[in-house]
Amino acid sequence: MLELRHLRTLIALRDTGSLVEAAERVHLTQSALSHQIKDLESRLGMPLFTRKTRPVSFTRAGERLLTLAEQVLPQLRLAERDLARLAGHEQGRLHMAIECHSCFQWLMPTVDHFRNHWPEVEVDIPSGQNFDLLPGLTREVLDLVITDNPEPLPGVHYEPLFRYEGLLAVAKQHALATRSWVEPSDLIEETLIVYPVDHSRLDVFTQFLDPVSVRPKEIRSAELTVMMMQLVASGRGVCALPNWALTEYLERDYVKALPLGKEGVWSTLYAAIREENLALPWMEDFIRTARDTSFAVLNGIKPAGAEPT
């Protein structure tokens, strides 16, 4: 009567609060997910949650199955890790690098959790690399790169982690603060604060400004997000950041954030891995842990479709 997919579906429904986002999380259409839930409810002879509520309100039966899912799914994953060890797949090296200045918010909890379960895998995040990160994969200097700018490379696979929206942060007293969204032309007279990386790696340029040939009045860089927020809050510029990186500043009412265009600018974050390492149990577990941790600690992200480049 009960299958693991049912338990995973209920967890996704609880975490996302809606059928639409839960369907994305478990890689089903909304119709297929609804059919799966109705089929399970028919087997059980009782509803699992109240329709047309957001977030989803579970019935007592639904809550009981959620409790079961919280007990069974972690134990299943632990058993899978143990079986991998018994098969002799527990050892390895995971040297990784990131092309994302604000990724440490979810990456460090991911690494900590992974180390606890795979102590035999050598994990390192070397700093100060003086080489291009993605080609470093093909040379086996690195084993994984977190990037939102995939480029075709022989033997490299891009595993999608999640989608995120870029937002423009402005001071609360800024003339744009009352707008529903911003257009590229709104930045012509602005100072745009960015991380010190090539503009070809920044979505605000590649997806928003460059397609319409708009250039801000001034561009300045800052190494740290907190420095960028201080400059923005004091009215010395605006900056575009992933939605999750702005969450704590928005909750403190420190700045205002606006979508880039009416439809917004969404990007996908990937884990770049050598194809030969894809099937390694500990690599599969790291990717799964990264996804789970991201959705647990970040606000505003969405599941990524299976669209590796």
Side-chain angles (χ1 to χ4, degrees):
M1 182 177 293
L2 281 175
E3 302 175 28
L4 291 174
R5 64 191 178 107
H6 297 138
L7 301 182
R8 293 189 177 105
T9 290
L10 292 175
I11 290 292
L13 195 55
R14 181 202 62 189
D15 290 349
T16 62
S18 79
L19 280 171
V20 174
E21 294 182 20
E24 291 181 340
R25 178 82 69 91
V26 297
H27 305 295
L28 292 174
T29 64
Q30 184 181 352
S31 175
L33 185 69
S34 296
H35 179 77
Q36 180 192 117
I37 294 172
K38 288 178 181 178
D39 179 61
L40 178 58
E41 289 177 326
S42 177
R43 296 188 202 181
L44 297 173
M46 62 188 77
L48 296 176
F49 64 93
T50 304
R51 264 65 175 179
K52 298 181 180 180
T53 61
R54 187 178 175 92
V56 170
S57 176
F58 288 91
T59 64
R60 290 181 62 185
E63 292 286 356
R64 179 62 185 89
L65 290 185
L66 277 174
T67 300
L68 176 65
E70 291 169 347
Q71 295 169 343
V72 169
L73 294 180
Q75 286 299 313
L76 175 65
R77 194 161 171 188
L78 183 60
E80 290 173 341
R81 293 185 181 113
D82 289 342
L83 290 172
R85 289 188 176 91
L86 290 173
H89 298 307
E90 75 276 16
Q91 294 185 343
R93 185 196 78 169
L94 182 54
H95 288 188
M96 68 184 81
I98 58 175
E99 292 187 341
C100 166
H101 278 66
S102 50
C103 281
F104 282 102
Q105 185 174 346
W106 61 267
L107 182 60
M108 298 319 295
T110 296
V111 170
D112 290 341
H113 188 276
F114 179 80
R115 279 182 171 139
N116 289 337
H117 291 92
W118 296 93
E120 305 90 347
V121 176
E122 177 193 336
V123 180
D124 191 18
I125 308 177
S127 60
Q129 298 95 339
N130 57 359
F131 55 85
D132 291 337
L133 299 184
L134 289 173
L137 279 174
T138 60
R139 300 198 307 272
E140 299 189 12
V141 178
L142 297 170
D143 306 298
L144 184 147
V145 174
I146 303 298
T147 181
D148 61 354
N149 289 284
E151 58 183 78
L153 288 173
V156 173
H157 171 82
Y158 293 93
E159 185 68 24
L161 298 176
F162 57 81
R163 296 177 63 232
Y164 64 91
E165 184 180 15
L167 298 174
L168 187 76
V170 302
K172 292 192 296 180
Q173 68 275 17
H174 197 286
L176 295 173
T178 58
R179 297 271 294 275
S180 298
W181 66 83
V182 294
E183 298 291 350
S185 57
D186 293 323
L187 301 190
I188 291 177
E189 296 299 321
E190 298 292 337
T191 295
L192 181 63
I193 306 165
V194 298
Y195 291 118
V197 299
D198 193 279
H199 294 173
S200 64
R201 290 170 49 193
L202 297 174
D203 296 336
V204 67
F205 288 103
T206 60
Q207 296 193 54
F208 190 61
L209 298 176
D210 290 350
V212 291
S213 301
V214 166
R215 187 81 173 174
K217 180 179 179 179
E218 183 181 349
I219 299 173
R220 63 177 297 180
S221 63
E223 288 277 355
L224 303 175
T225 303
V226 64
M227 294 170 57
M228 300 171 83
M229 289 298 96
Q230 290 174 349
L231 292 170
V232 169
S234 62
R236 297 163 66 186
V238 300
C239 73
L241 290 173
N243 47 7
W244 84 76
L246 289 169
T247 298
E248 65 173 295
Y249 301 101
L250 296 175
E251 290 176 346
R252 289 161 43 195
D253 197 29
Y254 197 60
V255 296
K256 296 292 183 181
L258 307 166
L260 298 171
K262 186 176 182 179
E263 303 301 323
V265 169
W266 286 82
S267 300
T268 299
L269 199 66
Y270 297 89
I273 313 161
R274 285 190 301 280
E275 291 177 350
E276 66 199 55
N277 289 345
L278 274 175
L280 292 173
W282 53 264
M283 183 66 82
E284 291 179 341
D285 194 60
F286 181 85
I287 297 299
R288 192 187 308 176
T289 301
R291 288 198 184 103
D292 291 347
T293 303
S294 299
F295 282 97
V297 304
L298 302 179
N299 292 327
I301 62 174
K302 292 185 176 183
E307 77 272 34
T309 302

